Amino acid sequence: MTSKDNCASTLAMVQKRIDAGDADAVEFLACTYYYGGYGLEKDVQRAIELWTEAAELGSIDAHYELGRSYYYGDGVEQDQVKGVGHWQHAAMEGHVDSRYGLGLAEYNARNYHLAIKHLLISAKMGSETSVDMIKRMFSDRIATKVQYAEALKGYQDAVEETKSHQREEAIRRG
């Protein structure tokens, strides 16, 4: 089977899942169009349409991508309020990158108290980027030493929770 056949086979399986109303399959196809993979041409507009459909079907990853697209104006007219709305929806469902996005949006709006609140939550969910942002805010005297320590400890606890003997053994074996 050629690579082209593999791409066609994968897309056919994805389409079956889409036909069954699978939000994750729609989100996967959206990413495929966004980056131009599996033999499909890059088409950001089609990706936006598919992320919108996937979000309506309940995909929190699609809400994150729409949030990013609207917040930064990537493939759509920039609408930061709409972007934040998508991130809020996904963050309420536990999407760590959306929570980070909310922290960054509040930081950019100079709402530092809310920024730290969001960044602490995402750090405790395992976002190293959030810890780095709080460290930067600490260096800039926006965050306190206690907040930075809380972010670091929360991040370390999250990383520790994901460790398992089986995972470490698999990593060791390569």
Side-chain angles (χ1 to χ4, degrees), residues 71-98:
Y71 189 82
Y72 294 107
D74 180 17
V76 293
E77 186 174 333
Q78 187 175 25
D79 184 339
Q80 291 185 338
V81 171
K82 194 170 188 175
V84 165
H86 281 288
W87 282 340
Q88 286 172 334
H89 183 92
M92 295 301 290
E93 297 291 325
H95 195 274
V96 66
D97 292 331
S98 291

Side-chain angles (χ1 to χ4, degrees), residues 16-141:
K16 284 182 184 178
R17 290 180 54 203
I18 289 171
D19 293 343
D22 185 332
D24 292 332
V26 177
E27 199 276 331
F28 174 85
L29 187 59
C31 288
T32 303
Y33 273 109
Y34 183 81
Y35 293 105
Y38 291 90
L40 298 176
E41 291 291 321
K42 181 175 178 161
D43 185 344
V44 175
Q45 288 306 119
R46 182 69 178 129
I48 298 292
E49 292 168 7
L50 288 165
W51 278 325
T52 301
E53 180 182 340
E56 290 169 359
L57 290 169
S59 169
I60 62 172
D61 289 330
H63 276 288
Y64 166 75
E65 293 295 351
L66 287 170
R68 183 194 52 73
S69 295
Y70 280 104
Y71 189 82
Y72 294 107
D74 180 17
V76 293
E77 186 174 333
Q78 187 175 25
D79 184 339
Q80 291 185 338
V81 171
K82 194 170 188 175
V84 165
H86 281 288
W87 282 340
Q88 286 172 334
H89 183 92
M92 295 301 290
E93 297 291 325
H95 195 274
V96 66
D97 292 331
S98 291
R99 184 64 70 174
Y100 171 78
L102 292 173
L104 193 58
E106 293 296 351
Y107 176 85
N108 290 337
R110 298 182 186 270
N111 296 325
Y112 300 129
H113 177 74
L114 288 174
I116 291 168
K117 180 179 171 183
H118 288 298
L119 294 169
L120 281 172
I121 292 169
S122 56
K124 292 174 183 179
M125 294 169 71
S127 171
E128 187 174 3
T129 310
S130 294
V131 175
D132 292 342
M133 186 66 183
I134 291 175
K135 180 181 179 181
R136 178 177 153 195
M137 293 172 76
F138 171 65
S139 295
D140 293 341
R141 296 192 172 115

